[in-house]
Amino acid sequence: MEIRFSAAQGEAGVRGAGGDKELESLRDWLEDDDQLRSEGMRVESVYQDRPGAMGDLLEWFGVACGAASLAIEVTHSVRGWWRSRGHEGELTFVVRGEDVERIGGLLRDIGLREGEGEGEHGDEGAPQ
């Protein structure tokens, strides 16, 4: 099972700086959760090349959970992150695997917006 997170895009397909910072903050929060990591959660990031800029832009990251029970724990950690800070950008998610409706419902309840599945992120790029 996998949950992919990305920053919401505006009408022109451009993300605001606030969303990018929120996305990186959530990724770092999950990577720092020792309990989730010890239970087998893996975070894989995909970056977008930015010619002429210093560093690449985090396009999306996926959280591999293995089982729905671990995905539920991830949603609880996301809720803790969401409540711990003010938010400038909007984040979206896509759930793949088992128990999609249940996990998606928990993330919608937190305030994240559901993406559009395969078309939202595609499978371009290799996780890094």
Side-chain angles (χ1 to χ4, degrees):
M1 148 158 260
E2 179 186 43
I3 306 171
R4 287 188 178 182
F5 296 94
S6 64
Q9 297 185 353
E11 291 181 25
V14 177
R15 288 182 288 177
D20 297 336
K21 290 177 185 174
E22 294 291 281
L23 186 61
E24 289 176 1
S25 172
L26 176 56
R27 181 200 55 199
D28 293 346
W29 173 278
L30 291 172
E31 286 179 333
D32 289 343
D33 191 319
D34 293 333
Q35 181 178 350
L36 292 176
R37 280 198 333 266
S38 71
E39 293 179 19
M41 178 201 74
R42 290 186 336 270
V43 176
E44 300 175 344
S45 302
V46 172
Y47 293 87
Q48 179 181 25
D49 200 20
R50 295 189 311 172
M54 292 183 62
D56 294 332
L57 178 68
L58 179 62
E59 185 170 353
W60 58 267
F61 72 90
V63 178
C65 301
S69 59
L70 182 55
I72 290 169
E73 290 184 43
V74 167
T75 64
H76 292 302
S77 185
V78 170
R79 176 173 293 157
W81 167 81
W82 189 262
R83 290 180 176 169
S84 73
R85 49 186 285 132
H87 297 283
E88 297 174 20
E90 183 177 282
L91 298 182
T92 62
F93 69 90
V94 174
V95 180
R96 295 186 174 138
E98 58 192 65
D99 237 354
V100 170
E101 286 303 315
R102 182 176 179 192
I103 303 303
L106 291 170
L107 292 168
R108 282 188 299 276
D109 288 347
I110 294 168
L112 277 66
R113 185 176 63 87
E114 190 160 11
E116 298 177 16
E118 293 294 327
E120 178 81 5
H121 308 292
D123 284 319
E124 310 90 28
Q128 298 177 4

